[in-house]
Amino acid sequence: MQHLRRADEKVFRAVEDETGRQLGQLEMIASENFVSPAVREALGTVFTHKYAEGLPGRRYYGGCEFADQVEELARSRATRLFGADHANVQPHSGAQANMAAYFAFLEPGDTILGMNLSHGGHLTHGSPVNFSGRLFRVEAYGVREEDGRIDYDSVLEVARRCRPRLIMSGASAYPRALDFEAFGRIAAEVDAVHVVDLAHIAGLVAGGHHPSPVPHADVVTTTTHKTLRGPRGGLVLCRGEHARVIDRMVFPFIQGGPLMHVIASKAVALGEALAPAFGDYGARVIENARVLARTLRHRGVRLVSGGTDTHLILVDLRERELTGKDAEHALERAGITVNKNTVPGERRSPFVTSGLRIGTPALTTRGMGTEEMATIGGWIADILEQPGNEDRIARIRGRANELSSAYPLYAP
Ligand code: DSN
């Protein structure tokens, strides 16, 4: 970064500080990950200079020969990885991928059925503060209070009652495996389009550790930067019959020029995900999450649904005075980064919350395994027991920093 250091000391310093933070903290935000040096290198390439509206072979600008090559690589790797008919790799984010999926099938005022945000859904699945809640009529399904799991009979019941034009499955804070086949059956029964937001678990599906939604969905959207371990961005997979409309929704309806440097980086990440080692990574992510869940449970920490089948767990603090906000803050000071999260039956505001979402993808990328998860689970339980004990926080911060240093992010 010698150019940045010389040209802009302030930005350079912020990057250096952020690097130190990422190296020193135990990163357990379930939606974050660390990309490979090759994925990062592709992001900083000359493709950032290039306008390439359109699709490979059909662009609105000259000079797109090499842009075509990287986009074609990304598209073909995405379809191969997930066994889909068609991929559009241009969405700048998961939200834009979801927007493209909605507008491919819906008019404003149509009804969508999505997961309740406080039960684990996502803003773009119909929240009133998001375009999805503003433009469409929204009905929601959620999880059972007794066991924190989706009740598919009740999803069918709601679908029969509200007759949605589109059913959105997928979640951002649901620790259990999703039954995409059941969602597909329900959508077929009420004649709705089935869209899956795979963002959180795309890497687990790619690695063969979660059933694929592709055979049961019209469209599958995902971000590329969570368990899939690519650059920040989105992509859409769909059945061949929807390819034209999805492509037209991404551009020109929602977006202008694609971010070709990000697409080059997506191609690299998708190539990495096709390698057998990526399947091993997914297995370790889930094993680590299970050990973390077991450790916390044994220490009396309540978990939504009692455990996990995926990369994340959701701590339920409703029976404690401690809020999600204060727990997040105490853990951050102890060197462990997580995020506060609403839980089913939430009574506090989304800025305060009664839950914590904790994930293992990033630490697994750093090479940590079940032994480290048991240790970290113990530290988390210690902090949740006494969030105001500054000596304990300082002691754990020291040990967390030591553990981080033992697992360098990028080996020399
Ligand atoms: N913000 C992402 C997450 O943390 O799950 C979802 O978009």
Side-chain angles (χ1 to χ4, degrees):
M1 290 204 300
Q2 73 274 28
H3 297 287
L4 182 57
R5 184 205 292 264
R6 254 185 267 122
D8 194 325
E9 172 64 25
K10 287 184 177 151
V11 173
F12 173 76
R13 186 60 38 221
V15 174
E16 288 283 284
D17 289 348
E18 174 61 10
T19 306
R21 189 194 68 78
Q22 291 188 14
L23 289 174
Q25 293 272 121
L26 293 170
E27 180 51 71
M28 302 193 85
I29 291 179
S31 49
E32 295 189 10
N33 212 331
F34 299 117
V35 299
S36 72
V39 166
R40 246 177 67 190
E41 215 166 87
L43 275 174
T45 60
V46 291
F47 276 117
T48 196
H49 304 148
K50 190 70 198 104
Y51 256 127
E53 272 108 322
L55 288 164
R58 286 184 290 130
R59 305 282 192 185
Y60 290 83
Y61 288 81
C64 287
E65 181 187 351
F66 305 110
D68 281 4
Q69 284 178 13
V70 285
E71 186 162 349
E72 204 40 70
L73 279 170
R75 293 205 301 187
S76 61
R77 287 175 183 173
T79 51
R80 191 143 49 96
L81 184 63
F82 291 100
D85 294 343
H86 180 73
N88 185 303
V89 295
Q90 294 188 1
H92 302 331
S93 70
Q96 279 157 316
N98 284 346
M99 194 182 231
Y102 287 135
F103 280 109
F105 302 104
L106 304 175
E107 293 295 332
D110 281 348
T111 301
I112 62 170
L113 173 59
M115 192 170 190
N116 186 326
L117 181 59
S118 74
H119 286 216
H122 185 255
L123 283 170
T124 56
H125 300 182
S127 162
V129 299
N130 179 260
F131 79 91
S132 54
R134 179 86 76 86
L135 295 182
F136 307 118
R137 211 172 73 74
V138 179
E139 297 279 344
Y141 59 86
V143 300
R144 283 185 293 249
E145 174 62 32
E146 322 79 90
D147 63 1
R149 292 174 189 246
I150 295 172
D151 174 350
Y152 293 91
D153 291 337
S154 119
V155 179
L156 175 60
E157 219 176 280
V158 183
R160 278 187 182 140
R161 179 176 47 72
C162 71
R163 307 298 299 187
R165 178 85 194 88
L166 182 149
I167 296 179
M168 176 62 97
S169 66
S172 61
Y174 184 66
R176 294 298 179 176
L178 286 158
D179 188 346
F180 293 121
E181 192 178 349
F183 276 112
R185 266 199 317 272
I186 295 167
E189 174 160 344
V190 299
D191 201 19
V193 173
H194 180 208
V195 176
V196 176
D197 181 340
L198 198 64
H200 262 265
I201 56 171
L204 306 182
V205 169
H209 304 292
H210 187 291
S212 171
V214 170
H216 313 292
D218 292 283
V219 174
V220 176
T221 67
T222 182
T223 49
T224 43
H225 49 270
K226 298 186 175 88
T227 49
L228 198 50
R229 214 162 56 175
R232 303 198 79 78
L235 65 82
V236 185
L237 306 165
C238 65
R239 293 196 179 140
E241 70 203 81
H242 306 311
R244 268 175 62 84
V245 67
I246 286 292
D247 286 346
R248 280 205 316 270
M249 289 302 110
V250 175
F251 170 83
F253 187 70
I254 297 169
Q255 295 185 174
L259 309 177
M260 290 314 306
H261 56 307
V262 182
I263 290 174
S265 182
K266 285 175 185 170
V268 178
L270 290 161
E272 289 176 356
L274 280 162
F278 195 74
D280 301 341
Y281 165 68
R284 283 185 287 113
V285 166
I286 294 174
E287 205 188 347
N288 280 346
R290 286 196 176 133
V291 169
L292 188 66
R294 202 181 314 133
T295 309
L296 289 171
R297 234 181 14 240
H298 287 165
R299 291 283 305 270
V301 177
R302 211 177 135 161
L303 305 180
V304 174
S305 86
T308 183
D309 304 321
T310 64
H311 62 302
L312 70 83
I313 61 177
L314 200 53
V315 173
D316 183 351
L317 299 168
R318 282 177 306 165
E319 286 175 359
R320 301 180 186 226
E321 267 179 38
L322 181 65
T323 65
K325 182 182 173 185
D326 289 342
E328 175 194 300
H329 188 56
L331 286 167
E332 172 102 45
R333 284 185 297 127
I336 300 170
T337 312
V338 300
N339 68 279
K340 61 179 171 293
N341 213 96
T342 51
V343 291
E346 183 62 72
R347 293 217 175 82
R348 296 178 171 129
S349 97
F351 293 108
V352 180
T353 81
S354 307
L356 282 180
R357 191 183 63 165
I358 310 179
T360 53
L363 292 187
T364 307
T365 294
R366 282 184 83 157
M368 293 189 196
T370 51
E371 211 176 296
E372 288 75 24
M373 292 306 124
T375 303
I376 296 167
W379 292 340
I380 294 174
D382 287 345
I383 298 286
L384 295 182
E385 265 167 28
Q386 289 190 26
N389 183 332
E390 293 303 326
D391 288 345
R392 187 176 279 197
I393 287 175
R395 181 178 51 78
I396 292 175
R397 185 174 56 241
R399 295 188 60 197
N401 291 158
E402 266 170 37
L403 182 58
S404 296
S405 316
Y407 290 89
L409 234 188
Y410 294 115

